[in-house]
mmCIF file of all heavy atoms in Angstrom:
data_model
loop_
_atom_site.group_PDB
_atom_site.id
_atom_site.type_symbol
_atom_site.label_atom_id
_atom_site.label_comp_id
_atom_site.label_asym_id
_atom_site.label_seq_id
_atom_site.Cartn_x
_atom_site.Cartn_y
_atom_site.Cartn_z
ATOM 1 N N ALA V 783 -5.899 -32.571 -12.751
ATOM 2 C CA ALA V 783 -5.357 -33.737 -12.035
ATOM 3 C C ALA V 783 -5.938 -33.824 -10.661
ATOM 4 O O ALA V 783 -6.009 -32.839 -9.926
ATOM 5 C CB ALA V 783 -3.803 -33.636 -11.951
ATOM 6 N N PRO V 784 -6.501 -34.975 -10.274
ATOM 7 C CA PRO V 784 -7.068 -35.132 -8.920
ATOM 8 C C PRO V 784 -5.960 -35.038 -7.876
ATOM 9 O O PRO V 784 -4.882 -35.597 -8.017
ATOM 10 C CB PRO V 784 -7.729 -36.528 -8.993
ATOM 11 C CG PRO V 784 -6.943 -37.290 -10.045
ATOM 12 C CD PRO V 784 -6.518 -36.206 -11.051
ATOM 13 N N LEU V 785 -6.293 -34.339 -6.779
ATOM 14 C CA LEU V 785 -5.338 -34.195 -5.686
ATOM 15 C C LEU V 785 -5.819 -34.953 -4.426
ATOM 16 O O LEU V 785 -7.086 -35.181 -4.294
ATOM 17 C CB LEU V 785 -5.168 -32.694 -5.352
ATOM 18 C CG LEU V 785 -4.558 -31.766 -6.463
ATOM 19 C CD1 LEU V 785 -4.496 -30.357 -6.054
ATOM 20 C CD2 LEU V 785 -3.236 -32.350 -6.925
ATOM 21 N N PRO V 786 -4.924 -35.278 -3.576
ATOM 22 C CA PRO V 786 -5.308 -35.936 -2.299
ATOM 23 C C PRO V 786 -6.277 -35.019 -1.499
ATOM 24 O O PRO V 786 -6.377 -33.854 -1.753
ATOM 25 C CB PRO V 786 -4.031 -36.105 -1.575
ATOM 26 C CG PRO V 786 -2.959 -36.033 -2.652
ATOM 27 C CD PRO V 786 -3.449 -35.087 -3.685
ATOM 28 N N PRO V 787 -7.065 -35.628 -0.606
ATOM 29 C CA PRO V 787 -8.004 -34.826 0.199
ATOM 30 C C PRO V 787 -7.283 -33.759 1.012
ATOM 31 O O PRO V 787 -6.220 -33.978 1.579
ATOM 32 C CB PRO V 787 -8.730 -35.806 1.073
ATOM 33 C CG PRO V 787 -7.797 -37.074 1.114
ATOM 34 C CD PRO V 787 -7.084 -37.006 -0.199
ATOM 35 N N ALA V 788 -7.916 -32.511 1.046
ATOM 36 C CA ALA V 788 -7.383 -31.452 1.873
ATOM 37 C C ALA V 788 -7.928 -31.520 3.218
ATOM 38 O O ALA V 788 -9.143 -31.736 3.450
ATOM 39 C CB ALA V 788 -7.743 -30.111 1.209
ATOM 40 N N ARG V 789 -7.082 -31.312 4.241
ATOM 41 C CA ARG V 789 -7.534 -31.378 5.628
ATOM 42 C C ARG V 789 -8.132 -30.041 5.993
ATOM 43 O O ARG V 789 -7.587 -28.974 5.567
ATOM 44 C CB ARG V 789 -6.367 -31.714 6.541
ATOM 45 C CG ARG V 789 -5.764 -33.109 6.221
ATOM 46 C CD ARG V 789 -4.599 -33.373 7.298
ATOM 47 N NE ARG V 789 -5.186 -33.496 8.610
ATOM 48 C CZ ARG V 789 -4.581 -33.032 9.705
ATOM 49 N NH1 ARG V 789 -3.479 -32.357 9.600
ATOM 50 N NH2 ARG V 789 -5.093 -33.234 10.907
ATOM 51 N N ALA V 790 -9.155 -30.028 6.803
ATOM 52 C CA ALA V 790 -9.773 -28.761 7.224
ATOM 53 C C ALA V 790 -8.776 -27.974 8.075
ATOM 54 O O ALA V 790 -7.972 -28.569 8.796
ATOM 55 C CB ALA V 790 -10.988 -29.026 8.034
ATOM 56 N N TRP V 791 -8.839 -26.627 7.872
ATOM 57 C CA TRP V 791 -7.842 -25.789 8.673
ATOM 58 C C TRP V 791 -8.527 -24.576 9.031
ATOM 59 O O TRP V 791 -9.311 -23.935 8.237
ATOM 60 C CB TRP V 791 -6.650 -25.482 7.820
ATOM 61 C CG TRP V 791 -5.669 -24.590 8.490
ATOM 62 C CD1 TRP V 791 -4.721 -24.883 9.419
ATOM 63 C CD2 TRP V 791 -5.618 -23.144 8.330
ATOM 64 N NE1 TRP V 791 -4.081 -23.735 9.819
ATOM 65 C CE2 TRP V 791 -4.609 -22.650 9.191
ATOM 66 C CE3 TRP V 791 -6.340 -22.221 7.586
ATOM 67 C CZ2 TRP V 791 -4.250 -21.283 9.280
ATOM 68 C CZ3 TRP V 791 -5.946 -20.852 7.665
ATOM 69 C CH2 TRP V 791 -4.969 -20.397 8.480
ATOM 70 N N SER V 792 -8.233 -24.058 10.208
ATOM 71 C CA SER V 792 -8.538 -22.658 10.643
ATOM 72 C C SER V 792 -7.464 -22.293 11.643
ATOM 73 O O SER V 792 -6.942 -23.115 12.390
ATOM 74 C CB SER V 792 -9.937 -22.595 11.291
ATOM 75 O OG SER V 792 -9.966 -23.359 12.479
ATOM 76 N N GLY V 793 -7.119 -20.975 11.610
ATOM 77 C CA GLY V 793 -6.101 -20.480 12.440
ATOM 78 C C GLY V 793 -6.309 -19.012 12.827
ATOM 79 O O GLY V 793 -7.055 -18.320 12.106
ATOM 80 N N LYS V 794 -5.612 -18.538 13.820
ATOM 81 C CA LYS V 794 -5.744 -17.155 14.180
ATOM 82 C C LYS V 794 -5.342 -16.181 13.102
ATOM 83 O O LYS V 794 -5.751 -15.031 13.046
ATOM 84 C CB LYS V 794 -4.869 -16.899 15.464
ATOM 85 C CG LYS V 794 -5.370 -17.526 16.718
ATOM 86 C CD LYS V 794 -4.565 -17.166 17.889
ATOM 87 C CE LYS V 794 -5.046 -17.774 19.228
ATOM 88 N NZ LYS V 794 -4.199 -17.404 20.368
ATOM 89 N N SER V 795 -4.403 -16.709 12.180
ATOM 90 C CA SER V 795 -3.930 -15.833 11.109
ATOM 91 C C SER V 795 -5.063 -15.455 10.176
ATOM 92 O O SER V 795 -4.872 -14.510 9.378
ATOM 93 C CB SER V 795 -2.791 -16.500 10.384
ATOM 94 O OG SER V 795 -3.202 -17.671 9.738
ATOM 95 N N GLU V 796 -6.172 -16.081 10.177
ATOM 96 C CA GLU V 796 -7.295 -15.704 9.336
ATOM 97 C C GLU V 796 -7.768 -14.325 9.638
ATOM 98 O O GLU V 796 -8.378 -13.682 8.791
ATOM 99 C CB GLU V 796 -8.439 -16.685 9.478
ATOM 100 C CG GLU V 796 -8.119 -18.053 8.909
ATOM 101 C CD GLU V 796 -9.235 -19.079 9.091
ATOM 102 O OE1 GLU V 796 -9.405 -19.515 10.206
ATOM 103 O OE2 GLU V 796 -9.892 -19.376 8.068
ATOM 104 N N ALA V 797 -7.480 -13.830 10.816
ATOM 105 C CA ALA V 797 -7.853 -12.424 11.183
ATOM 106 C C ALA V 797 -7.054 -11.403 10.443
ATOM 107 O O ALA V 797 -7.390 -10.223 10.408
ATOM 108 C CB ALA V 797 -7.619 -12.226 12.709
ATOM 109 N N LEU V 798 -5.961 -11.886 9.677
ATOM 110 C CA LEU V 798 -5.178 -10.936 8.873
ATOM 111 C C LEU V 798 -5.880 -10.620 7.595
ATOM 112 O O LEU V 798 -5.462 -9.585 6.968
ATOM 113 C CB LEU V 798 -3.849 -11.592 8.559
ATOM 114 C CG LEU V 798 -2.917 -11.908 9.742
ATOM 115 C CD1 LEU V 798 -1.760 -12.788 9.273
ATOM 116 C CD2 LEU V 798 -2.381 -10.605 10.399
ATOM 117 N N VAL V 799 -6.845 -11.327 7.202
ATOM 118 C CA VAL V 799 -7.608 -11.073 5.950
ATOM 119 C C VAL V 799 -8.468 -9.858 6.171
ATOM 120 O O VAL V 799 -9.223 -9.774 7.114
ATOM 121 C CB VAL V 799 -8.431 -12.270 5.531
ATOM 122 C CG1 VAL V 799 -9.201 -11.995 4.255
ATOM 123 C CG2 VAL V 799 -7.600 -13.552 5.389
ATOM 124 N N ALA V 800 -8.323 -8.941 5.230
ATOM 125 C CA ALA V 800 -9.095 -7.667 5.347
ATOM 126 C C ALA V 800 -10.591 -7.921 5.197
ATOM 127 O O ALA V 800 -10.978 -8.761 4.382
ATOM 128 C CB ALA V 800 -8.603 -6.659 4.291
ATOM 129 N N ALA V 801 -11.384 -7.106 5.937
ATOM 130 C CA ALA V 801 -12.832 -7.217 5.816
ATOM 131 C C ALA V 801 -13.306 -6.762 4.433
ATOM 132 O O ALA V 801 -12.607 -5.942 3.803
ATOM 133 C CB ALA V 801 -13.463 -6.422 6.926
ATOM 134 N N PRO V 802 -14.421 -7.239 4.011
ATOM 135 C CA PRO V 802 -14.938 -6.823 2.708
ATOM 136 C C PRO V 802 -15.092 -5.259 2.551
ATOM 137 O O PRO V 802 -14.982 -4.751 1.450
ATOM 138 C CB PRO V 802 -16.319 -7.480 2.666
ATOM 139 C CG PRO V 802 -16.191 -8.704 3.553
ATOM 140 C CD PRO V 802 -15.335 -8.250 4.621
ATOM 141 N N SER V 803 -15.284 -4.547 3.618
ATOM 142 C CA SER V 803 -15.422 -3.150 3.544
ATOM 143 C C SER V 803 -14.049 -2.394 3.559
ATOM 144 O O SER V 803 -14.078 -1.226 3.377
ATOM 145 C CB SER V 803 -16.201 -2.641 4.795
ATOM 146 O OG SER V 803 -15.566 -3.043 6.040
ATOM 147 N N HIS V 804 -12.959 -3.066 3.750
ATOM 148 C CA HIS V 804 -11.657 -2.444 3.817
ATOM 149 C C HIS V 804 -11.350 -1.843 2.458
ATOM 150 O O HIS V 804 -11.358 -2.523 1.448
ATOM 151 C CB HIS V 804 -10.592 -3.497 4.212
ATOM 152 C CG HIS V 804 -9.337 -2.835 4.756
ATOM 153 N ND1 HIS V 804 -8.475 -2.071 4.011
ATOM 154 C CD2 HIS V 804 -8.760 -2.843 6.002
ATOM 155 C CE1 HIS V 804 -7.435 -1.691 4.722
ATOM 156 N NE2 HIS V 804 -7.619 -2.165 5.913
ATOM 157 N N PRO V 805 -10.890 -0.602 2.441
ATOM 158 C CA PRO V 805 -10.570 0.097 1.146
ATOM 159 C C PRO V 805 -9.319 -0.498 0.457
ATOM 160 O O PRO V 805 -9.112 -0.220 -0.739
ATOM 161 C CB PRO V 805 -10.390 1.520 1.523
ATOM 162 C CG PRO V 805 -10.009 1.496 2.939
ATOM 163 C CD PRO V 805 -10.751 0.378 3.575
ATOM 164 N N TRP V 806 -8.457 -1.154 1.213
ATOM 165 C CA TRP V 806 -7.147 -1.668 0.609
ATOM 166 C C TRP V 806 -7.150 -3.160 0.577
ATOM 167 O O TRP V 806 -6.042 -3.717 0.766
ATOM 168 C CB TRP V 806 -6.020 -1.008 1.401
ATOM 169 C CG TRP V 806 -5.786 0.414 1.106
ATOM 170 C CD1 TRP V 806 -6.142 1.480 1.876
ATOM 171 C CD2 TRP V 806 -5.284 0.934 -0.095
ATOM 172 N NE1 TRP V 806 -5.839 2.675 1.282
ATOM 173 C CE2 TRP V 806 -5.286 2.378 0.050
ATOM 174 C CE3 TRP V 806 -4.759 0.410 -1.251
ATOM 175 C CZ2 TRP V 806 -4.793 3.212 -0.946
ATOM 176 C CZ3 TRP V 806 -4.280 1.257 -2.250
ATOM 177 C CH2 TRP V 806 -4.301 2.692 -2.081
ATOM 178 N N ARG V 807 -8.238 -3.805 0.341
ATOM 179 C CA ARG V 807 -8.146 -5.188 0.147
ATOM 180 C C ARG V 807 -7.309 -5.566 -1.060
ATOM 181 O O ARG V 807 -7.340 -4.834 -2.073
ATOM 182 C CB ARG V 807 -9.582 -5.825 -0.059
ATOM 183 C CG ARG V 807 -10.401 -5.958 1.181
ATOM 184 C CD ARG V 807 -11.440 -7.012 1.037
ATOM 185 N NE ARG V 807 -12.345 -6.700 -0.073
ATOM 186 C CZ ARG V 807 -13.232 -7.604 -0.557
ATOM 187 N NH1 ARG V 807 -13.219 -8.875 -0.124
ATOM 188 N NH2 ARG V 807 -14.054 -7.222 -1.537
ATOM 189 N N THR V 808 -6.514 -6.632 -0.969
ATOM 190 C CA THR V 808 -5.634 -7.002 -2.076
ATOM 191 C C THR V 808 -6.467 -7.705 -3.129
ATOM 192 O O THR V 808 -7.495 -8.190 -2.860
ATOM 193 C CB THR V 808 -4.485 -7.852 -1.560
ATOM 194 O OG1 THR V 808 -5.042 -9.151 -1.164
ATOM 195 C CG2 THR V 808 -3.690 -7.262 -0.431
ATOM 196 N N PRO V 809 -5.960 -7.823 -4.327
ATOM 197 C CA PRO V 809 -6.711 -8.578 -5.359
ATOM 198 C C PRO V 809 -6.956 -10.015 -4.919
ATOM 199 O O PRO V 809 -8.072 -10.527 -5.236
ATOM 200 C CB PRO V 809 -5.765 -8.483 -6.582
ATOM 201 C CG PRO V 809 -4.987 -7.244 -6.414
ATOM 202 C CD PRO V 809 -4.810 -7.122 -4.905
#
C-alpha cells in the first residue's frame, strides 16, 4: 500500500545506534 511522503529526520538520538564494530549490536 502506498504511504504518504516521509519527512526527513535527524536527531541527537542517532548517536545511540551502535557502531558497525560494536560487538553487541542488536539484530
